[in-house]
Amino acid sequence: MKPLGPIPAGFAVIDGELAIAGLTASTIVEQAGQTPLFVYSADMLRARMAALRAAMPEQLHIHYAMKANPFAPLLRLMGQLVDGFDIASGGELAMAINAGLDPARISFAGPGKRDGELEQAIVHGVTLNCESPAEIRRSLAIADRVGRVPQLAIRVNPSFELRGSGMKMGGGAKPFGMDEALVVDAARLIIDSGAQWRGLHIFTGSQALDAAAIVETQDNVLTLAARLTAEIGVPLPHLNMGGGMGIPYFHGDQPLDPAAVGRPLADRLESLPPELAGTDFAMELGRYLVGEAGVYLTQIIDRKESHGQVFLITDGGLHHQLAASGNFGTVVRRNYPVAIASRYGAPAEEDANVVGCLCTPLDRLADQAALPRADVGDLVVVFCAGAYGASASPSAFLGQGAAAEILI
Ligand SMILES: *Cc1c(COP(=O)(O)O)cnc(C)c1O
């Protein structure tokens, strides 16, 4: 037996089935008309934001990093809940605008922005987190050509990183942002050009469950921002402090207590160095806001045994669930939280392998998981599917196509 990851709080059992927003899994599938299906709970998204707001200092802005989940109905809901959006491509800019989000609340980071993407961002008044001096010069030239004042910030590649984070994006040689030593001259270039100086973006990593590590990194970010601001010599309008707050995916992972991040941050914001007295602060979060509010439902289409092991073969797989299959940045494959949605809460009766329908051995959703006996027609649920699911998986692989998605 291999352990499953912890099921997030907030899910119910109705008539022996997993229930979301008072509806059983089979009812939701019936309404959607197909499996595989991603289901996102609006109530859970609202509850997560409310709890986070309560834990964080009031003046802290919360941004949603939309690469975690750009599903249009979810984006529209997030538009009512968060203060800003972080995008990472012209495609995401188009999705954000189509969802009716205010471009003035959007900032655009990403190490390889094409001229056309820079132009769209500048025309819409989106803040560009510039990742190199060359990108600043390109942005200024494009702004000049289209007759706009660009909103320019600098993404810093800090010399420190977020300890214990699943994905490091700062510290050492990186394609992201500018090394600290380049920032002061780059900021002067922006300010002297007459562009709107929008401040600094310092992102250090993702998927941290250790509050102390996040607090330590935020201290480092504030110290660095104060030092750079003193050298730049102009007040810092905005500091995007990065995010990094993670969610439990695997057995043994402990959920992060947001108050353990929020309390020390409130103290820091109460006693800021003079350089940061007039600065607006933001955290940018993806999976922490949306990851636990989504599930992936897939139906069992075959059940068989091989060399004494049970295989439950579903109509879903890694083409929608690259991360749960263990193929999105993990070294050792471990089980996500997975259950039989149509026998939810029933006692475990056997160890089973849950696999997808793709003709590759990489397509695994749960290895040797203790589950109630399930058969053809039963529904399997993969939890923690609200982030980096549909949009971060190769849905074109093997001609499978996208899963359906609904927000309820
Ligand atoms: C991916 C990314 C995020 C979101 O990461 P999560 O782990 O989903 O919170 C935030 N900011 C930047 C710059 C990113 O690249």
Side-chain angles (χ1 to χ4, degrees), residues 287-309:
R287 75 188 75 218
Y288 188 80
L289 300 185
V290 300
E292 294 184 320
V295 302
Y296 177 70
L297 295 173
T298 175
Q299 192 162 25
I300 298 175
I301 51 181
D302 203 357
R303 175 192 164 98
K304 62 188 182 187
E305 289 188 24
S306 171
H307 291 265
Q309 291 193 23

Side-chain angles (χ1 to χ4, degrees), residues 215-308:
V215 170
E216 177 192 302
T217 299
Q218 290 185 335
D219 270 1
N220 290 336
V221 166
L222 289 166
T223 304
L224 174 60
R227 175 170 70 73
L228 291 171
T229 299
E231 290 177 42
I232 294 165
V234 165
L236 187 70
H238 190 263
L239 175 62
N240 179 335
M241 310 174 60
M245 292 172 67
I247 59 173
Y249 288 104
F250 305 117
H251 177 71
D253 283 356
Q254 295 300 321
L256 188 63
D257 172 10
V261 176
R263 268 191 307 264
L265 182 58
D267 291 344
R268 281 303 301 257
L269 297 188
E270 286 301 305
S271 55
L272 285 169
E275 292 83 3
L276 302 181
T279 306
D280 279 336
F281 298 91
M283 275 183 85
E284 53 176 352
L285 299 167
R287 75 188 75 218
Y288 188 80
L289 300 185
V290 300
E292 294 184 320
V295 302
Y296 177 70
L297 295 173
T298 175
Q299 192 162 25
I300 298 175
I301 51 181
D302 203 357
R303 175 192 164 98
K304 62 188 182 187
E305 289 188 24
S306 171
H307 291 265

Side-chain angles (χ1 to χ4, degrees), residues 39-401:
V39 185
Y40 312 119
S41 160
D43 283 348
M44 286 188 183
L45 292 166
R46 288 194 195 95
R48 171 53 64 111
M49 265 311 291
L52 183 66
R53 292 269 191 211
M56 287 295 159
E58 214 175 322
Q59 70 269 44
L60 180 74
H61 292 181
I62 307 287
H63 289 195
Y64 175 50
M66 76 177 260
K67 80 173 191 281
N69 188 335
F71 182 52
L74 181 140
L75 274 187
R76 283 194 289 272
L77 173 61
M78 296 306 282
Q80 302 163 18
L81 301 177
V82 301
D83 306 301
F85 288 83
D86 294 306
I87 62 169
S89 73
E92 287 191 345
L93 175 58
M95 288 190 253
I97 285 168
N98 288 339
L101 306 178
D102 175 6
R105 296 198 295 156
I106 299 175
S107 49
F108 182 177
K113 304 184 193 76
R114 300 167 185 85
D115 284 355
E117 294 175 300
L118 294 174
E119 180 173 333
Q120 282 305 305
I122 289 166
V123 165
H124 283 103
V126 164
T127 294
L128 287 166
N129 293 331
C130 298
E131 313 242 353
S132 71
E135 190 179 289
I136 295 174
R137 288 191 288 271
R138 275 198 295 140
S139 300
L140 291 174
I142 290 167
D144 208 37
R145 178 162 56 72
V146 300
R148 299 294 178 101
V149 176
Q151 313 283 316
L152 302 183
I154 289 176
R155 181 168 179 182
V156 183
N157 172 28
S159 55
F160 49 87
E161 59 192 24
L162 175 54
R163 196 159 46 78
S165 69
M167 232 175 256
K168 293 183 176 33
M169 292 179 73
K174 290 285 185 314
F176 309 109
M178 289 175 222
D179 290 357
E180 291 175 12
L182 297 175
V183 170
V184 175
D185 284 351
R188 293 224 178 93
L189 172 63
I190 291 173
I191 293 159
D192 293 346
S193 76
Q196 186 78 39
W197 170 233
R198 296 284 293 137
L200 300 172
H201 174 213
I202 308 178
F203 180 79
T204 53
S206 254
Q207 182 48 24
L209 292 173
D210 178 0
I214 296 173
V215 170
E216 177 192 302
T217 299
Q218 290 185 335
D219 270 1
N220 290 336
V221 166
L222 289 166
T223 304
L224 174 60
R227 175 170 70 73
L228 291 171
T229 299
E231 290 177 42
I232 294 165
V234 165
L236 187 70
H238 190 263
L239 175 62
N240 179 335
M241 310 174 60
M245 292 172 67
I247 59 173
Y249 288 104
F250 305 117
H251 177 71
D253 283 356
Q254 295 300 321
L256 188 63
D257 172 10
V261 176
R263 268 191 307 264
L265 182 58
D267 291 344
R268 281 303 301 257
L269 297 188
E270 286 301 305
S271 55
L272 285 169
E275 292 83 3
L276 302 181
T279 306
D280 279 336
F281 298 91
M283 275 183 85
E284 53 176 352
L285 299 167
R287 75 188 75 218
Y288 188 80
L289 300 185
V290 300
E292 294 184 320
V295 302
Y296 177 70
L297 295 173
T298 175
Q299 192 162 25
I300 298 175
I301 51 181
D302 203 357
R303 175 192 164 98
K304 62 188 182 187
E305 289 188 24
S306 171
H307 291 265
Q309 291 193 23
V310 175
F311 286 82
L312 303 172
I313 298 169
T314 68
D315 63 2
L318 76 75
H319 52 299
H320 306 142
Q321 281 291 317
L322 192 64
S325 76
N327 295 295
F328 193 54
T330 35
V331 181
V332 179
R333 193 193 174 286
R334 289 180 291 163
N335 289 327
Y336 264 42
V338 169
I340 306 299
S342 46
R343 295 169 196 268
Y344 197 60
E349 293 162 312
E350 64 181 9
D351 287 353
N353 299 295
V354 183
V355 300
C357 57
L358 302 187
C359 205
T360 158
L362 300 177
D363 194 8
R364 290 138 71 188
L365 295 176
D367 290 336
Q368 289 297 295
L371 295 171
R373 192 195 147 91
D375 222 318
V376 173
D378 274 312
L379 293 171
V380 168
V381 54
V382 179
F383 294 94
C384 297
Y388 306 111
S391 72
S393 302
S395 66
F397 191 32
L398 281 156
Q400 288 290 338

